[in-house]
Amino acid sequence: MSGGRAERLNLGPKLDEAVLIQLRRSALALMDEAHVAIDQRGGLGAVVEHLGTNVMEHSGATWLELAIVTADSKAFLSLSDNGKPFDPVEIIRKL
């Protein structure tokens, strides 16, 4: 495996451009360290941004932790936060 360092980002009380820029920079740095293939970076970056945005908008988290590793030409992403969990069953019940 390549990479393996996690990076923790402190989130402000609201989603703003500075936090998204910090998230993008952290993701790029972790992809560099993990030697993520160039053709995988765009898609992985989009996933990181989407997940990070969801955490910031909906979970009430004050931090999120991002890790990216590679093994056998595959990239693996781990994102953790201290926000409230997402329960898809509860969402369906409300429909």
Side-chain angles (χ1 to χ4, degrees), residues 2-49:
S2 184
R5 180 178 69 83
E7 187 155 325
R8 183 174 283 204
L9 295 108
N10 291 317
L11 306 175
K14 63 183 178 121
L15 176 63
D16 63 16
E17 189 63 27
V19 174
L20 286 175
I21 289 169
Q22 182 184 8
L23 180 61
R24 287 182 199 120
R25 286 182 179 159
S26 295
L28 287 171
L30 291 168
M31 283 188 257
D32 282 343
E33 290 174 22
H35 307 291
V36 173
I38 297 297
D39 63 334
Q40 294 176 327
R41 289 180 186 217
L44 190 58
V47 169
V48 167
E49 190 163 335

Side-chain angles (χ1 to χ4, degrees), residues 3-4 12-13 19 24 29 31 39 42 44 48 53 55 57 59 61 64 68 70 77-78 86-87 89 91 95:
V19 174
R24 287 182 199 120
M31 283 188 257
D39 63 334
L44 190 58
V48 167
T53 300
V55 166
E57 287 182 345
S59 78
L64 67 81
I68 299 172
T70 56
L77 165 70
S78 172
F86 172 73
D87 183 358
V89 173
I91 300 299
L95 294 178

Side-chain angles (χ1 to χ4, degrees), residues 55 63-66 78-82:
V55 166
W63 59 263
L64 67 81
E65 190 170 273
L66 177 64
S78 172
L79 190 139
S80 303
D81 65 70
N82 68 339

